[in-house]
Amino acid sequence: MRPCRRLFLHLPCLLAVTGVGAGLLVTGCGVREEMCLPGHYQVLAVNDFGGDCIRDGEEPPAGWARYPKGKVPRYVGDEWDRYWSTRTLDENGRIVALPN
C-alpha cells in the first residue's frame, strides 16, 4: 500500500482526534471546581476575609457564619465567589464591605 493511501485511510481518525483536542483547549476542559467536598457546606468568616467547609449537620464555630440563603458560592470563581471576595458578614448578619 502506498504511503498516501495509508494516510487517507487514517484521515477521519486524525481529524476526530484533532477536533477533540482543539475543543478541550478552547473550553478549558469545562471542569468546574466545587468549593466544598460532598457532605460539607461552606461558611464565611465574620468581619474577616475567608471561608471554610464544615461537615453537614455541624454548626459553624465561633467567628464563622453560614452564607445568606441564595448567596452561597458553589464553584470557584462563580458569581457568588466573586461577590464575597469584597464582602463579608458582620456580627449581626448584615452584609458589609471587607475591612482593610
Side-chain angles (χ1 to χ4, degrees):
M1 193 180 275
R2 289 182 285 169
C4 289
R5 185 166 170 90
R6 264 189 253 144
L7 178 61
F8 182 72
L9 292 174
H10 296 291
L11 190 58
C13 185
L14 289 172
L15 289 174
V17 169
T18 303
V20 169
L24 290 174
L25 286 174
V26 170
T27 63
C29 298
V31 176
R32 296 178 72 184
E33 184 180 349
E34 290 195 41
M35 299 297 274
C36 293
L37 294 172
H40 293 75
Y41 70 95
Q42 252 191 294
V43 292
L44 179 67
V46 175
N47 285 321
D48 203 355
F49 176 81
D52 203 358
C53 297
I54 305 290
R55 287 185 190 270
D56 289 345
E58 291 182 9
E59 289 300 314
W64 297 85
R66 294 176 186 265
Y67 282 89
K69 189 172 182 146
K71 296 183 179 183
V72 181
R74 184 167 166 116
Y75 299 102
V76 174
D78 71 9
E79 171 190 6
W80 292 115
D81 185 32
R82 292 188 309 271
Y83 176 87
W84 289 108
S85 69
T86 59
R87 298 166 183 85
T88 190
L89 296 175
D90 69 9
E91 57 281 345
N92 298 312
R94 292 183 300 235
I95 298 172
V96 295
L98 274 170
N100 290 332

